[in-house]
Amino acid sequence: MGSSAEDIVQRRTGILRLATGYNLRELCGYKTPWGPTLPHRFLRSGDTNELSEDDAGLLRAYGVTMDVDLRSEFEVKRAPDVFADDPRVRYHNASLYSVNMHDSDLAEGDGMDDYLVGGYLAMLSNREAVRQVFSFMATAEPSDCVLFHCAAGMDRTGVTSMLLLGLCRVSEHDILRDYLLSFASVDLVEDALRGSGEHPDLLTLASAMRTVRRRLIKGYGSVESYLASCGLTSRMLVSVRRHLVS
């Protein structure tokens, strides 16, 4: 291998650089009331089926011992997760939504904002999948690094990340930043978050996630209350939060 497990991460952004990895980064360095979110705890990613043996080994060396696959049964069969049969990694598939919303074959049209908001709300209405995802995450030990992913690492993974960061009371600005990093560079994301009209696509994406988050907060009061409504106990939610912020 040409690099070590620590060499693959850019600490300023949390982005992991792997030749065969896609949209892979940490949920680390975000401010919370309990201190910053920690490295080596949660990684978000696109599909893993094309990871090389070397890159899969680098992720295991980085600490990955748990894998949450948010894709549909069809997607899983078509492109099996590289860690699904790895005895060193605990794997769980919970289909949060049946399609990859950024599949180039799907018609987006001019109503991208409504398309995303509708899809993301449908994901949140899939309470059983949300319960499975977070109850699995709640079993993580301090030494575990949890990888969670869908196909593109943008939408289903983005909604899951929004819930994780919201559970830890990360600011809306940082939640949007984490989400938008799936679509653009750090500099372009920061421009968009400052309201730059030069990036209309990013502004549309930010608007969609902001709308979904605010509807969730308006309806439930907090991410924690929403997750409780999915059947997660207080102990489970504390376990997930402690794993990210200790």
Side-chain angles (χ1 to χ4, degrees):
M1 298 181 190
S3 57
S4 71
E6 283 302 320
D7 289 339
I8 64 177
V9 66
Q10 296 175 337
R11 281 296 168 206
R12 186 171 76 92
T13 61
I15 294 171
L16 275 71
R17 307 177 306 274
L18 292 176
T20 59
Y22 179 68
N23 199 8
L24 179 63
R25 63 186 183 277
E26 295 226 35
L27 296 190
C28 66
Y30 292 118
K31 293 180 180 179
T32 82
W34 302 276
T37 56
L38 300 173
H40 294 273
R41 296 302 175 91
F42 285 99
L43 295 177
R44 53 175 295 169
S45 176
D47 205 348
T48 68
N49 73 295
E50 293 186 358
L51 278 173
S52 69
E53 184 177 346
D54 280 354
D55 284 348
L58 278 172
L59 286 179
R60 286 193 302 270
Y62 197 73
V64 171
T65 52
M66 297 174 65
D67 179 2
V68 183
D69 190 339
L70 303 168
R71 298 174 300 155
S72 67
E73 181 179 351
F74 170 75
E75 291 171 291
V76 170
K77 288 182 178 178
R78 182 180 62 181
D81 189 300
V82 73
F83 295 118
D85 296 319
D86 189 329
R88 294 160 291 189
V89 178
R90 287 188 286 149
Y91 171 81
H92 185 77
N93 173 225
S95 177
L96 189 60
Y97 199 62
S98 60
V99 298
N100 170 10
M101 294 184 69
H102 275 83
D103 188 324
S104 59
D105 292 331
L106 294 178
E108 296 173 354
D110 295 328
M112 187 64 173
D113 196 338
D114 291 340
Y115 169 73
L116 291 174
V117 169
Y120 294 174
L121 291 175
M123 294 175 196
L124 293 176
S125 72
N126 189 353
R127 297 172 186 275
E128 174 56 22
V130 172
R131 185 195 65 78
Q132 287 186 35
V133 167
F134 278 80
S135 60
F136 181 68
M137 289 176 171
T139 66
E141 299 291 339
S143 59
D144 288 322
C145 181
V146 184
L147 175 71
F148 62 101
H149 72 90
C150 54
M154 295 174 177
D155 302 303
R156 291 167 287 190
T157 302
V159 168
T160 303
S161 185
M162 179 269 288
L163 293 174
L164 273 168
L165 295 176
L167 178 63
C168 295
R169 301 181 195 171
V170 171
S171 70
E172 181 176 85
H173 179 279
D174 282 344
I175 288 173
L176 294 177
R177 181 180 186 273
D178 170 72
Y179 170 67
L180 292 178
L181 283 171
S182 288
F183 303 92
S185 68
V186 174
D187 291 340
L188 290 180
V189 166
E190 295 301 338
D191 282 348
L193 290 175
R194 287 192 290 268
S196 172
E198 297 180 5
H199 313 293
D201 291 345
L202 289 180
L203 292 177
T204 296
L205 290 162
S207 174
M209 181 56 81
R210 184 184 295 111
T211 296
V212 170
R213 177 187 174 277
R214 291 183 180 181
R215 286 192 191 180
L216 184 152
I217 299 301
K218 182 178 180 180
Y220 293 91
S222 68
V223 169
E224 186 168 359
S225 294
Y226 160 75
L227 291 171
S229 79
C230 295
L232 291 147
T233 67
S234 295
R235 172 175 280 187
M236 290 175 177
L237 297 179
V238 168
S239 294
V240 174
R241 181 188 292 135
R242 282 181 174 170
H243 193 63
L244 187 53
V245 298
S246 190

